[in-house]
Amino acid sequence: MCGIWALFGSDDCLSVQCLSAMKIAHRGPDAFRFENVNGYTNCCFGFHRLAVVDQLFGMQPIRVKKYPYLWLCYNGEIYNHKKMQHHFEFEYQTKVDGEIILHLYDKGGIEQTVCMLDGVFAFILLDTANKKVFLGRDTYGVRPLFKAMTEDGFLAVCSEAKGLVNLKHSTTPFLKVEPFLPGHYEVLDLKPNGKVASVEMVKYHHCRDEPLHALYDNVEKLFPGFELETVKNNLRILFDNAIKKRLMTDRRIGCLLSGGLDSSLVAATLLKQLKEAQVQYPLQTFAIGMEDSTDLLAARKVANHIGSEHHEVLFNSEEGIQVLDEVIFSLETYDITTVRASVGMYLVSKYIRKNTDSVVIFSGEGSDELTQGYIYFHKAPSPEKAEEESERLLKELYLFDVLRADRTTAAHGLELRVPFLDHRFSSYYLSLPPDMRTPKNGIEKHLLRETFEDSNLIPKDILWRPKEAFSDGITSVKNSWFRILQEYVEHQVDDTMMATAAQKFPFNTPKTKEGYYYRQIFERHYPGRADWLTHYWMPKWINATDPSARTLAHYKSTAKA
């Protein structure tokens, strides 16, 4: 996890413009570099480093003697870099995983390069010999990337939008900043004056398709067919492998543990893998909640079962409300469910940074979208419609859960790893017959639960624990976090403000006082940038007025049981 920033064709003084790069300093607390491009006085790179691999040669932009005309700035981890290096017999100059991008590009061009990367990434690659600039982002957008480009060819790129919004350009008083789409790469021509022109934007991978790099990985051979036992065995193999490859780091590994199915499976498998790798330190797991929260109790049970060094972080409603402003600034969104869920994750990340030496943090993000874990999937009209919805949610992860997971951890200089979004695991899961993936017997994620039924990885009652939204589970059933927020906001936003909401906020007009309150904070930090969020996250197939799972009829009936 790092912060990347680059400008091409800047009209303004670079020493002034580079102040914007400091807006993302939290992403890389270990070192900073600002570097001009030879021969292009108006082009430069900025890089904030979190040193996770190769302490000596890990600074960026990465340049190697063999390709003096290539400049690479990237944020991410390429888990198969050694496999690729050995297979193609590349001569490495560093131990940095991203160096593989330079070698693959030289060998086969940009299309083959991005398709061969098993990992999460956002990159800017400059080729001064062929006068090209390339931008690329991983399939699910686990690593963030934003860009701004003007009609006259000024290009600015950054890990977070906050590093671009204050940039100056002579022809544009208001620079349009937008997220770079996941699963895409862009090719741009670099002109002699440092300006660029977009040549093509290419979608290189769909989450359903087995990635090209699968041809070269060392996963044991999967069994063919869709017999239940076969599928369960394949899923266990791929999940194990997804965690194993993510152990790649020189820093201490920890794990977020809510006590729900997803984070519990990750924590248990991670601890098993760390033991097999003979890692010398105990795994630290972290849970957050208010007193008597259901998550804290469940997480404690899992931690005792697996034997982790468990940390419980308590917070009260005042502390949660106090950080709303900085959370929304970090997130760069005003989506209601994202803000709610981010408070707990932001506070637990703050605790980890301040009180421990764990830096690489595993988490269960992506599972609900992949395995149809949201409670509203019980209402899907057909398995095919459920499949469509699952793929839509995965496609939009970069706007919601993946955005939350990245920003709340990166704000405190931590690096998040999300094994459920592993390319091999997710593409295999999505290849299964639609009716195999739907909720069964009133239980969501039935196939995933069944897969680990006989493993004794986690306690049985946790394995079959019903879905609890993170923003709900951190508080008690008596008074959930979203109710606490709504009670507070009731005194901050009055009815007259709501009456004029459509005039004040014509795009994505907030329908509730809570939504209005978040939007106000967002507009204060990022005026006129509401279009970063295309739509609010809401459940489907039901007449929901609130995104909380606790407002759904299915939740109420199972909670009473």
Side-chain angles (χ1 to χ4, degrees):
M1 201 281 299
C2 298
I4 61 174
W5 182 89
L7 301 185
F8 297 91
S10 173
D11 287 347
D12 220 66
C13 172
L14 288 183
S15 58
V16 174
Q17 298 276 58
C18 81
L19 294 174
S20 284
M22 303 316 291
K23 296 278 187 186
I24 58 161
H26 51 272
R27 297 189 69 88
D30 295 332
F32 171 67
R33 176 183 283 175
F34 183 72
E35 191 165 331
N36 288 66
V37 178
N38 302 343
Y40 295 90
T41 54
N42 56 359
C43 301
C44 60
F45 289 93
F47 178 68
H48 294 276
R49 186 178 187 211
L50 179 70
V52 171
V53 293
D54 196 346
Q55 305 284 334
L56 190 58
F57 293 109
M59 275 306 282
Q60 298 185 34
I62 296 173
R63 305 184 66 204
V64 296
K65 287 178 183 174
K66 193 173 181 184
Y67 315 117
Y69 46 88
L70 295 183
W71 306 61
L72 172 68
C73 232
Y74 85 104
N75 167 212
E77 301 79 46
I78 313 301
Y79 304 119
N80 64 341
H81 73 108
K82 284 186 178 170
K83 188 79 183 166
M84 292 285 107
Q85 179 190 1
H86 294 144
H87 181 84
F88 293 113
E89 299 180 338
F90 293 141
E91 283 184 36
Y92 267 34
Q93 191 174 309
T94 73
K95 292 177 185 171
V96 179
D97 49 297
E99 187 180 331
I100 191 64
I101 295 172
L102 302 177
H103 296 281
L104 286 173
Y105 170 71
D106 178 71
K107 179 182 179 295
I110 194 65
E111 173 90 31
Q112 190 187 47
T113 300
V114 288
C115 293
M116 289 291 216
L117 302 177
D118 181 8
V120 294
F121 56 84
F123 68 76
I124 308 153
L125 175 63
L126 168 63
D127 179 347
T128 54
N130 293 294
K131 307 290 188 288
K132 297 286 184 194
V133 177
F134 304 96
L135 308 178
R137 193 175 181 192
D138 67 75
T139 301
Y140 296 113
V142 174
R143 291 293 172 259
L145 193 66
F146 285 82
K147 77 167 206 181
M149 191 168 164
T150 63
E151 286 184 7
D152 69 332
F154 168 57
L155 172 69
V157 188
C158 189
S159 295
E160 298 182 20
K162 58 180 67 68
L164 301 177
V165 290
N166 294 323
L167 288 171
K168 302 283 184 288
H169 190 66
S170 57
T171 62
T172 317
F174 184 82
L175 202 60
K176 185 174 171 56
V177 175
E178 52 195 359
F180 188 86
L181 289 176
H184 286 71
Y185 70 83
E186 185 172 11
V187 182
L188 303 107
D189 282 333
L190 178 67
K191 297 174 181 177
N193 64 356
K195 308 276 188 188
V196 300
S198 183
V199 177
E200 59 176 343
M201 181 84 158
V202 179
K203 184 177 175 67
Y204 67 87
H205 185 229
H206 189 284
C207 57
R208 249 195 335 260
D209 304 332
E210 185 176 72
L212 185 62
H213 58 70
L215 296 169
Y216 303 93
D217 71 21
N218 49 9
V219 181
E220 60 185 278
K221 197 161 174 57
L222 301 181
F223 298 93
F226 295 127
E227 290 291 323
L228 182 59
E229 289 308 312
T230 299
V231 167
K232 283 159 60 176
N233 191 57
N234 288 344
L235 285 172
R236 283 192 295 269
I237 289 169
L238 290 170
F239 189 67
D240 247 32
N241 183 63
I243 298 234
K244 190 174 188 176
K245 71 177 73 163
R246 283 168 173 76
L247 300 183
M248 180 187 88
T249 180
D250 298 330
R251 303 292 285 272
R252 184 168 183 166
I253 291 171
C255 189
L256 299 181
L257 178 60
S258 71
L261 172 69
D262 310 323
S263 64
S264 299
L265 285 175
V266 170
T269 308
L270 174 59
L271 194 138
K272 185 183 74 163
Q273 296 277 7
L274 288 172
K275 280 182 179 171
E276 286 173 14
Q278 298 184 319
V279 169
Q280 296 304 301
Y281 56 78
L283 174 67
Q284 294 179 328
T285 49
F286 304 95
I288 186 163
M290 295 180 177
E291 283 186 279
D292 88 336
S293 96
T294 50
D295 275 6
L296 283 183
L297 296 171
R300 196 179 304 156
K301 186 167 194 170
V302 175
N304 288 337
H305 182 86
I306 66 176
S308 63
E309 180 194 300
H310 193 54
H311 297 243
E312 290 185 357
V313 183
L314 286 171
F315 79 104
N316 58 39
S317 52
E318 289 78 24
E319 288 171 310
I321 286 162
Q322 272 175 3
V323 296
L324 280 173
D325 188 273
E326 57 195 87
V327 163
I328 291 170
F329 174 72
S330 294
L331 290 175
E332 304 172 334
T333 188
Y334 51 92
D335 177 64
I336 295 167
T337 189
T338 303
V339 173
R340 283 178 190 167
S342 293
V343 169
M345 204 161 178
Y346 185 87
L347 289 171
V348 77
S349 298
K350 188 176 184 177
Y351 170 90
I352 294 169
R353 183 71 190 177
K354 188 178 177 184
N355 298 286
T356 79
D357 58 348
S358 288
V359 173
V360 173
I361 308 297
F362 279 65
S363 182
E365 261 71 35
S367 175
D368 285 324
E369 291 77 10
L370 177 66
T371 66
Q372 303 182 16
Y374 292 114
I375 288 168
Y376 71 85
F377 273 96
H378 290 279
K379 304 288 186 186
S382 69
E384 290 70 29
K385 289 292 181 190
E387 177 180 51
E388 271 178 36
E389 175 66 357
S390 174
E391 289 188 19
R392 181 187 73 83
L393 289 171
L394 286 166
K395 187 180 171 187
E396 293 180 356
L397 266 173
Y398 77 105
L399 292 170
F400 302 109
D401 277 26
V402 152
L403 179 149
R404 163 179 57 79
D406 174 83
R407 299 303 194 288
T408 53
T409 50
H412 302 290
L414 304 176
E415 175 178 296
L416 200 78
R417 297 198 176 173
V418 282
F420 275 107
L421 293 177
D422 180 75
H423 295 168
R424 291 289 315 269
F425 181 80
S426 59
S427 62
Y428 177 74
Y429 204 98
L430 293 171
S431 76
L432 300 174
D435 60 351
M436 211 172 191
R437 293 179 265 149
T438 54
K440 303 272 190 302
N441 309 324
I443 299 170
E444 65 284 341
K445 294 194 264 203
H446 199 277
L447 174 60
L448 184 64
R449 298 175 199 271
E450 264 192 299
T451 296
F452 293 97
E453 173 78 270
D454 302 319
S455 66
N456 196 36
L457 267 178
I458 59 176
K460 280 281 195 293
D461 57 333
I462 300 293
L463 186 67
W464 295 97
R465 184 188 176 201
K467 166 70 182 165
E468 178 104 57
F470 182 52
S471 57
D472 298 335
I474 57 175
T475 43
S476 68
V477 175
K478 294 194 289 286
N479 194 18
S480 80
W481 175 228
F482 84 91
R483 294 257 184 253
I484 291 166
L485 284 167
Q486 288 172 340
E487 285 164 16
Y488 169 75
V489 165
E490 189 65 36
H491 302 290
Q492 309 301 315
V493 179
D494 60 35
D495 293 342
T496 54
M497 292 160 84
M498 287 305 296
T500 58
Q503 287 83 49
K504 187 168 184 178
F505 307 121
F507 179 76
N508 273 345
T509 304
K511 302 284 192 291
T512 64
K513 290 184 177 181
E514 185 186 4
Y516 190 104
Y517 184 69
Y518 298 160
R519 181 65 173 273
Q520 266 191 322
I521 295 173
F522 175 86
E523 292 287 347
R524 192 164 66 246
H525 291 300
Y526 306 109
R529 307 287 183 178
D531 59 352
W532 289 345
L533 178 69
T534 54
H535 60 281
Y536 291 103
W537 194 99
M538 284 293 277
K540 210 168 181 175
W541 304 308
I542 45 176
N543 294 320
T545 54
D546 191 281
S548 170
R550 290 210 175 161
T551 62
L552 305 187
H554 179 86
Y555 180 87
K556 289 169 186 168
S557 62
T558 54
K560 288 172 190 164

